[in-house]
Amino acid sequence: MAIERTFSMIKPDATKRNLTGAITKVFEDNGLRVVASKRVWMSKREAEGFYAVHKERPFFGELVEGMTSGPTVVQVLEGENAILKNREIMGATNPANADEGTIRKMFALSIGENSVHGSDAPETAAQEIKYWFADTEIVG
Ligand code: ADP
Ligand code: MG
């Protein structure tokens, strides 16, 4: 296994409920390190660009609306096998299917308001980190 970096977001449904610290603690307790972090209120254009892969899906409008409804904390997480590990810590997309102890099981409200985003592969991790961070903002 190698040390990897992945991209994570604490979504507006969670920042609105003041869960930034609680969610970050779950990452840290599971061996991931926050090597970049900032709070942004993304524009419609930024949300549509970030989620462009989903633009034909029926929930795209709802997704963009949710992501622009309040602040998001964008982060880079580093650790052993960070991409897969983060997906495990997050839990299933639909909180109804998420395992006990996962962030989505503990905090998500619904499949749309599911509190966190995490990259799903090395290519998307690299792409998503670059979408939100300059190299100089990432300090390992
Ligand atoms: P994940 O975030 O687990 O990688 P996807 O990439 O499939 O899940 O979807 C991106 C995001 O779109 C989800 O996190 C969720 O916020 C939203 N989403 C996915 N499926 C639905 C759905 N059926 N209804 C509403 N929102 C959805
Ligand atoms: Mg996804």
Side-chain angles (χ1 to χ4, degrees):
M1 273 194 286
I3 299 287
E4 291 177 338
R5 285 179 174 173
T6 192
F7 176 73
S8 168
M9 298 195 291
I10 301 173
K11 297 182 178 183
D13 74 86
T15 64
K16 282 177 203 162
R17 288 177 288 145
N18 208 22
L19 293 170
T20 299
I23 290 174
T24 300
K25 183 169 174 10
V26 181
F27 297 140
E28 293 180 341
D29 286 349
N30 282 278
L32 296 177
R33 176 177 291 271
V34 179
V35 296
S37 186
K38 62 188 175 190
R39 190 169 170 103
V40 300
W41 192 317
M42 65 179 76
S43 66
K44 188 160 183 273
R45 182 189 291 251
E46 284 174 321
E48 286 172 348
F50 181 78
Y51 278 117
V53 65
H54 295 306
K55 67 176 184 295
E56 306 301 336
R57 309 281 285 274
F59 57 81
F60 186 66
E62 183 190 325
L63 177 59
V64 169
E65 197 175 310
M67 294 307 296
T68 56
S69 69
T72 292
V73 177
V74 293
Q75 296 180 317
V76 181
L77 306 178
E78 184 179 87
E80 283 282 347
N81 211 17
I83 298 165
L84 187 60
K85 183 181 278 185
N86 182 40
R87 295 292 303 192
E88 287 170 1
I89 297 168
M90 285 164 54
T93 306
N94 185 345
N97 303 326
D99 290 340
E100 284 301 329
T102 63
I103 290 171
R104 284 168 166 168
K105 178 73 176 185
M106 289 190 277
F107 301 119
L109 301 173
S110 64
I111 189 167
E113 294 188 302
N114 61 2
S115 304
V116 281
H117 164 86
S119 307
D120 57 13
E123 298 72 30
T124 48
Q127 200 181 317
E128 292 174 357
I129 289 170
K130 219 177 166 66
Y131 193 88
W132 291 106
F133 290 101
D135 288 348
T136 50
E137 293 178 297
I138 306 168
V139 183

